[in-house]
Amino acid sequence: MSDCIFCKIAAGELPSEMVYQDERVVAFKDIRPVAPVHILIIPRKHIPDLTAITEEDAELIGHLHLVAVKVARELGLADRGFRLVNNCKQEGGQVIYHLHYHLLGGRQLRNLC
Ligand code: 5GP
Ligand code: ZN
């Protein structure tokens, strides 16, 4: 997707503070952090939102979760705990329509609802 900012970040065409990358998944710091650790984890593949995943993406989504735990561990959150969040579509609070998960931690997080 040529006009997607997360595709551009994944391709290195827009700057970001990368904390992890491989051939399928990229993780970088959120530009407006809401916690001491606030990382965005995305597939390189442009998937607009969580409802757009298919059976074909099952392995990719599994891999993305393994990356999330690896990054959490490297940032010292594996024992303390953390939150992995996907905002899906309008009522879920999604703003950027390229699938992403927020990895949040480094402080006590309040209940969501
Ligand atoms: P959403 O509400 O779609 O789940 O979250 C989008 C997130 O992307 C927000 O937390 C926002 O701060 C972050 N964000 C938006 N634009 C950029 C950007 O250009 N670079 C980075 N690193 N984060 C961004
Ligand atoms: Zn994209």
Side-chain angles (χ1 to χ4, degrees):
M1 275 278 284
S2 55
D3 60 347
C4 169
I5 64 167
F6 283 3
C7 280
K8 287 185 175 155
I9 285 173
E13 292 165 9
L14 280 179
S16 71
E17 285 191 69
M18 288 267 179
V19 297
Y20 177 89
Q21 54 180 316
D22 65 27
E23 68 285 358
R24 286 176 289 171
V25 169
V26 168
F28 52 95
K29 293 185 182 178
D30 195 292
I31 206 168
R32 274 182 228 97
V34 299
V37 174
H38 188 168
I39 305 293
L40 299 173
I41 307 171
I42 72 169
R44 288 186 187 273
K45 177 181 178 183
H46 183 84
I47 300 172
D49 66 78
L50 192 57
T51 69
I53 61 169
T54 68
E55 213 36 66
E56 191 180 280
D57 301 312
E59 217 263 317
L60 173 61
I61 300 302
H63 176 65
L64 191 150
H65 275 72
L66 289 168
V67 168
V69 173
K70 181 182 168 66
V71 171
R73 185 169 288 118
E74 284 172 2
L75 296 176
L77 299 181
D79 293 331
R80 299 174 63 170
F82 57 88
R83 187 172 289 161
L84 188 63
V85 179
N86 170 252
N87 298 326
C88 185
K89 293 186 173 173
Q90 188 182 352
E91 291 196 359
Q94 185 173 3
V95 173
I96 307 284
Y97 277 75
H98 177 126
L99 180 64
H100 58 278
Y101 291 78
H102 299 252
L103 172 65
L104 298 163
R107 67 166 167 82
Q108 181 62 53
L109 299 169
R110 290 176 292 279
N111 286 341
L112 282 175
C113 42

